[in-house]
Amino acid sequence: MGILVQEDKGLFHLQSAGMSYILQLVNDYPAHVYWGKKLRSGSNLEGLLNLGGNRGLDRLPQEYPQYGTGDFRTPAYQVRLEDGTRITELKYSGYRVVEGKPSLPGLPSVYVESAQEAQTLELTLKDDYAKLSVILRYTVFEHTNVITRSVEFTNAGETQLRLQRALSASVDFSSGDMDMIYLAGAWSREGNLTRRRLVQGGTTIGSRRGMSSHQLNPFAALVKPETDENHGEAYGFSLVYSGGFEAEAEVDSFGMTRFTMGLNSFDFAWLLEPGEQFQTPEVVMVYSSEGIGEMSRTYHRLYRTRLCRGLYRDKERPILVNNWEATYFNFDADKLESIAAEGAKLGIELFVLDDGWFGKRDADNSSLGDWVEDLRKLPGGLSDVAQRVNNLGLQFGLWFEPEMISPDSELYRKHPDWCLHVPGRRRSEARWQLVLDYTREDVRQYIYESLSRIFSTVPISYVKWDMNRCLTEIGSAELPSERQGETAHRYVLGLYELLERITSEFPHILFESCCSGGGRFDPGMLHYMPQTWTSDDTDAVERLKIQYGTSLVYPVSSIGAHVSAVPNHQVGRITPLSFRGDVAMSGNFGYELDLTKFTDEEKELVKEQVANYKQIRSLVQQGNLYRLQSPFEGNETAWMFVSDDQREALVYYFRVMAVPHPPRRSLKLNGLNPELDYILEASGEVYGGDRLMQAGLALPDIQQDFVSGCYKLKVQE
C-alpha cells in the first residue's frame, strides 16, 4: 500500500486500496504507464509500457511534457530564458517519498490529519542548461482512490527565467475513445452537465474572467462511452483554485488522449529571479471503476472531510432565513425583526441581513468599500439588530462584498488607485462597481481591519462573502512592468491570504462563499468556507439541474439551497411550496422571502418543513448521495441519501410536468444493503433492500404539475 519504487527499473507504483497509478523513466523522461484498478506489485508492470521501438517524444506518454524537443502535443509548461529562447528539456534527477502530505505554500489544498493517511512522491526534474529545477508532487491516499498532483518550479541559476505556462497535471491515456464530462452554464443556470465525445483535436474548457466562473467549472471527467452513473470507468480532475483555469483533452493522430489542467496560460507570466520558486495549484484526480456516481461520492467524502476545515466541517448547518428577496434594499430594524420573529415561531435558527446595511446603500450603485453601518436605516447599528435577533433565539448573520469598491464611495474618493486598473485606460464598471486590487497588502489590511472591527463587536455567527463581477483591466499600480502578467494570480493569492487570516481569527463564524451565486463554486473557496451559495436562481425547477450538476463533484454539505417566493424572481414560475421545500431540503436548507406574508396554512407547512429538515439534515449533509434520475434527460428527477452503515435512507422524487394517462412507475433505489429489510416510514410497509434496488419503489400517480415526494427508509430492527 502507498508508493512502491523499483529503482533498478525506474518504476514508481502509486497504490491505494483499489487503484494503481504507475509511471516509469524512459531515457530519463517520466512516462505514464497506467492508471486504473489496483494491480499487484511484481506483475511485470514494467512491461505495460509498450513503446514498440524508438518512436520519439511525440509518441511517448509523458507525465510532464515540454514543447520544442519533438513532442508537438499540448505542453504542460513553457519557460522563456533571458536570451529570449523558449526551449527547455526536463530530465529526471532524483526522487523522495514523504509520509503524509505536505501543504502548499500560499495555496489551499487537500490535507491529511495523520501521516498514515497518505504518501507523497516527489520527482525532481532538471534542465541543466536553463538551471531550471522542477518537482512533480504526487500524493496517493491509502483508503480512497485519489491522487493529488502539483508542480514546484525553482530558478537554480543566476539569470531570470519567465514562466509562460505552468499547468498542474498532465496525463496521457492510450485511448482516444472517450467522452469528456464538464459543468457549463451562465449566471443563474450554473452546473449544466455536458457530455461530449472526444475526436481528434482538442476539447478545451476554461475561464479568463479572473474567477472560476459561472460559465465553466474547474472540473472535468474522462469516461468510457459506455460509462454511466453506476457502471464503467471514470477519471475525474478537479482544480483547487479560484481564478482563471484551463483544462484540455487532446486526441492526437495516433489515437492517444492527453489531458492537461491548471492555471489559464492566457495573459499569464511569472518572473522567477535567481533562487525564487513558483508553486502551482493542486489537481485532485479520482478514479472510479463503478461509474460516475462512485467518482462523485469519492470527491464528496474527500472534500467534506479533507478540504473543508474548521468548526463547521462536521457540524450540522443551521436553517436560515435571508432578507434579500424579501426586502432588497428597502428595510429598517423593525422590518428585519418582524421577519426574524416569524422565523423563530417556525423553528428557523439563523437570520441573515443581506445587502444594504452599510454606507449609503439604497441601491447597488454606491458604497461598496464603506463597511460602516448606515444609521439612517439602522439607528442602533448592527449591534441593535443582532441583539433583537438574538433575543428571539436566532443567530445573526451578515452579508459582505469585500473584494469590490463603488466609484461612488468614500473609499474610492480617498484611494482611486486601490482598484485593479491600467493607467490611462477606462475602468470598466459592472453593476456600478470595480474590483479592489488584492495584490496590494495595504488593500488587504484595510479590508481586514474593516471586517474584524465588526466581527469583534457584533455577535455574528455567519457571513455571506459575495463577489458580483469578473476582473477587467487586470493591472496593478504596485507591480513593476515586468510583473504585470502576474496580477491575476497574485489577486487570488492575496484573497487566500486574507481568507486564511480572517477565518483563523474568527473560527466561530460560519462563512459561506458567493459569487453572484455559483461564479466561484470551486474547491479553493471550500478550503476556507465550507459552503457556497449555489446559484442566484432560486426557482425549484431550475435548481433540479443546478444542484444535480453541482453534485457531480461537490458535496451536498457545500450546496446552499433556499425556498423563495412565487412567482419566482428569476423566471416568474409558480411552483407549490411543498415542491420548493423538497428541492431546497436536498442541500443546506433555508428561506429567502418575507415570512410575514405567508398565510396561516403556508406557515404551518414551513413549520413542518423546518421540523422535518432538523430530523434529516445530518443524513442529507453527511450521507452518501446516489443520483437516480437526471433532470438533463427527462421530466423526472430523483436522488437519495444513504447513511454510511446503510441502515437509513432518504429518497426524493420530482416530476416537473403532468403526463396524461401515465404508465405505472417504480423508482429503482441504490446504495442499500440487499440483505436488510427497510421500513417505509409513511406506510409502515417493509421492503427488502434487494427488492427496492432491483424492482423499485412504486410511485403514486398524482395528476398535477410540479409533484415531489420524500420517502424515509429505516432498517427493521
Side-chain angles (χ1 to χ4, degrees):
M1 205 69 68
I3 297 172
L4 309 172
V5 180
Q6 294 177 267
E7 285 193 74
D8 58 329
K9 298 174 181 177
L11 197 73
F12 301 87
H13 184 180
L14 287 67
Q15 195 178 76
S16 70
M19 175 192 72
S20 287
Y21 186 100
I22 303 171
L23 54 100
Q24 185 176 0
L25 299 177
V26 177
N27 299 324
D28 288 333
Y29 296 104
H32 182 73
V33 175
Y34 175 84
W35 184 21
K37 275 190 174 183
K38 183 178 177 180
L39 300 177
R40 289 184 295 111
S41 183
S43 305
N44 190 23
L45 299 180
E46 65 273 17
L48 287 171
L49 191 61
N50 181 13
L51 297 177
N54 183 11
R55 298 185 181 181
L57 292 182
D58 209 31
R59 298 291 298 273
L60 184 67
Q62 296 181 72
E63 282 291 304
Y64 204 67
Q66 65 250 348
Y67 177 79
T69 56
D71 187 343
F72 300 97
R73 296 166 291 177
T74 299
Y77 77 99
Q78 189 169 32
V79 177
R80 184 178 185 273
L81 279 60
E82 196 170 53
D83 62 7
T85 60
R86 286 92 56 213
I87 307 303
T88 56
E89 189 165 24
L90 293 171
K91 292 293 193 75
Y92 173 76
S93 176
Y95 81 94
R96 73 167 183 154
V97 174
V98 179
E99 297 299 319
K101 184 178 187 294
S103 60
L104 302 183
L107 287 165
S109 62
V110 173
Y111 60 88
V112 296
E113 292 189 339
S114 71
Q116 289 70 42
E117 292 181 22
Q119 280 189 316
T120 298
L121 171 68
E122 294 182 346
L123 288 183
T124 299
L125 312 179
K126 292 184 177 179
D127 181 319
D128 291 332
Y129 177 84
K131 304 302 181 187
L132 174 66
S133 178
V134 171
I135 295 176
L136 306 184
R137 190 170 285 114
Y138 304 75
T139 296
V140 59
F141 287 75
E142 182 177 1
H143 297 298
T144 187
N145 296 335
V146 172
I147 290 176
T148 67
R149 289 188 58 178
S150 65
V151 182
E152 178 186 297
F153 292 83
T154 300
N155 182 352
E158 298 179 355
T159 60
Q160 292 179 339
L161 298 175
R162 184 179 295 275
L163 291 177
Q164 296 180 314
R165 183 179 181 85
L167 302 186
S168 298
S170 179
V171 179
D172 283 351
F173 295 87
S174 59
S175 171
D177 186 23
M178 305 178 85
D179 293 351
M180 182 168 164
I181 298 174
Y182 55 93
L183 302 177
W187 173 78
S188 78
R189 52 180 173 85
E190 300 88 342
N192 278 248
L193 194 155
T194 304
R195 183 164 178 165
R196 176 185 292 181
R197 180 63 54 89
L198 298 182
V199 296
Q200 186 171 334
T203 299
T204 304
I205 64 172
S207 170
R208 294 184 292 273
R209 297 170 181 266
M211 59 188 192
S212 44
S213 85
H214 304 271
Q215 286 71 21
L216 292 159
N217 197 270
F219 160 79
L222 298 185
V223 301
K224 302 293 186 181
E226 66 273 13
T227 297
D228 60 19
E229 190 70 19
N230 301 308
H231 308 93
E233 291 189 302
Y235 303 85
F237 301 84
S238 175
L239 183 66
V240 186
Y241 189 64
S242 307
F245 75 96
E246 64 180 68
E248 180 183 34
E250 178 188 15
V251 179
D252 66 15
S253 59
F254 305 109
M256 295 174 59
T257 300
R258 170 169 290 174
F259 185 89
T260 53
M261 179 177 258
L263 295 170
N264 198 312
S265 304
F266 176 81
D267 199 36
F268 167 80
W270 195 275
L271 184 65
L272 279 180
E273 296 285 359
E276 286 188 341
Q277 296 176 329
F278 180 83
Q279 174 65 55
T280 72
E282 179 173 87
V283 171
V284 179
M285 298 163 40
V286 167
Y287 169 74
S288 168
S289 61
E290 300 176 24
I292 300 164
E294 184 55 34
M295 177 200 72
S296 296
R297 287 184 288 278
T298 300
Y299 274 119
H300 296 173
R301 288 188 291 269
L302 183 74
Y303 283 179
R304 191 174 64 238
T305 64
R306 293 296 182 269
L307 177 68
C308 296
R309 303 175 298 165
L311 295 176
Y312 290 91
R313 188 191 77 174
D314 304 319
K315 291 179 67 174
E316 294 179 352
R317 309 291 167 74
I319 302 169
L320 66 83
V321 58
N322 183 301
N323 76 298
W324 177 240
E325 290 192 14
T327 66
Y328 293 105
F329 297 100
N330 184 26
F331 59 81
D332 57 23
D334 291 340
K335 178 59 180 177
L336 300 176
E337 184 179 15
S338 70
I339 296 174
E342 201 60 56
K345 296 175 187 176
L346 302 175
I348 289 172
E349 300 158 318
L350 168 67
F351 173 81
V352 179
L353 171 55
D354 211 282
D355 196 355
W357 58 265
F358 55 93
K360 297 179 180 178
R361 185 79 164 172
D362 297 322
D364 58 2
N365 59 2
S366 73
S367 300
L368 290 172
D370 299 340
W371 299 111
V372 179
E373 300 103 311
D374 182 356
L375 298 180
R376 299 172 306 150
K377 290 183 182 178
L378 307 174
L382 288 174
S383 294
D384 171 62
V385 177
Q387 190 61 56
R388 295 194 198 193
V389 170
N390 291 164
N391 288 342
L392 295 166
L394 275 67
Q395 302 174 65
F396 179 66
L398 196 60
W399 176 95
F400 289 87
E401 194 173 359
E403 297 166 66
M404 300 295 148
I405 184 171
S406 301
D408 182 10
S409 67
E410 295 304 316
L411 182 64
Y412 188 80
R413 283 184 277 273
K414 186 176 180 180
H415 296 288
D417 61 330
W418 274 16
C419 65
L420 291 175
H421 69 283
V422 175
R425 299 287 182 183
R426 71 180 179 91
R427 303 180 180 191
S428 303
E429 294 181 26
R431 211 168 172 258
W432 297 282
Q433 62 195 52
L434 301 167
V435 183
L436 283 170
D437 183 357
Y438 266 38
T439 72
R440 298 176 58 138
E441 195 279 333
D442 53 356
V443 171
R444 300 195 302 273
Q445 181 63 23
Y446 168 81
I447 294 297
Y448 165 78
E449 291 173 357
S450 298
L451 271 58
S452 61
R453 175 187 59 82
I454 296 173
F455 296 164
S456 300
T457 57
V458 181
I460 292 173
S461 61
Y462 165 101
V463 164
K464 182 178 179 181
W465 183 296
D466 209 345
M467 179 199 188
N468 279 308
R469 62 155 293 179
C470 308
L471 277 56
T472 57
E473 290 81 48
I474 300 177
S476 173
E478 286 287 285
L479 293 176
S481 59
E482 65 270 19
R483 291 193 178 273
Q484 288 296 320
E486 303 173 10
T487 305
H489 183 54
R490 285 188 181 274
Y491 177 94
V492 179
L493 295 179
L495 171 64
Y496 289 154
E497 179 186 89
L498 178 62
L499 292 180
E500 183 70 30
R501 187 179 183 187
I502 287 281
T503 57
S504 298
E505 196 161 321
F506 300 95
H508 66 283
I509 296 177
L510 170 59
F511 286 86
E512 178 176 281
S513 172
C514 179
C515 183
S516 287
R520 205 163 56 184
F521 202 138
D522 59 61
M525 294 305 292
L526 288 184
H527 191 65
Y528 306 97
M529 306 184 183
Q531 60 190 57
T532 301
W533 180 229
T534 318
S535 176
D536 280 347
D537 190 341
T538 54
D539 172 63
V541 174
E542 288 299 306
R543 272 300 187 111
L544 291 173
K545 291 182 177 180
I546 292 168
Q547 291 173 207
Y548 187 101
T550 300
S551 77
L552 212 66
V553 61
Y554 300 106
V556 174
S557 61
S558 69
I559 295 175
H562 297 171
V563 174
S564 63
V566 292
N568 177 264
H569 290 198
Q570 288 78 47
V571 300
R573 194 180 345 254
I574 298 175
T575 53
L577 181 57
S578 58
F579 187 87
R580 284 175 276 155
D582 285 341
V583 174
M585 282 191 282
S586 299
N588 279 331
F589 185 50
Y591 293 85
E592 191 131 351
L593 40 68
D594 191 344
L595 295 171
T596 66
K597 294 182 178 180
F598 272 161
T599 65
D600 290 342
E601 182 181 0
E602 289 172 325
K603 289 177 183 178
E604 278 303 309
L605 181 52
V606 168
K607 196 171 184 178
E608 290 176 16
Q609 289 176 340
V610 170
N612 182 34
Y613 191 72
K614 288 178 181 178
Q615 293 180 353
I616 66 174
R617 66 177 155 190
S618 62
L619 181 57
V620 171
Q621 295 171 7
Q622 306 293 330
N624 297 307
L625 173 68
Y626 291 83
R627 294 180 293 263
L628 306 178
Q629 291 184 306
S630 171
F632 297 100
E633 297 176 1
N635 189 43
E636 298 169 303
T637 302
W639 48 58
M640 62 185 292
F641 307 92
V642 183
S643 62
D644 283 337
D645 62 7
Q646 298 179 297
R647 301 184 69 83
E648 186 178 7
L650 180 70
V651 183
Y652 278 104
Y653 166 80
F654 308 92
R655 189 188 66 206
V656 177
M657 302 303 294
V659 177
H661 196 58
R664 292 182 179 178
R665 296 298 309 273
S666 292
L667 180 65
K668 290 185 179 181
L669 308 188
N670 204 345
L672 303 177
N673 187 328
E675 304 300 322
L676 296 178
D677 290 329
Y678 293 84
I679 301 173
L680 182 61
E681 182 181 281
S683 66
E685 295 176 275
V686 178
Y687 301 92
D690 53 349
R691 189 265 203 206
L692 291 169
M693 292 191 290
Q694 301 303 321
L697 179 69
L699 297 172
D701 181 19
I702 302 175
Q703 286 302 97
Q704 64 184 53
D705 296 338
F706 313 123
V707 169
S708 64
C710 175
Y711 306 92
K712 298 178 184 178
L713 296 162
K714 285 191 176 181
V715 167
Q716 185 179 29
E717 300 298 343

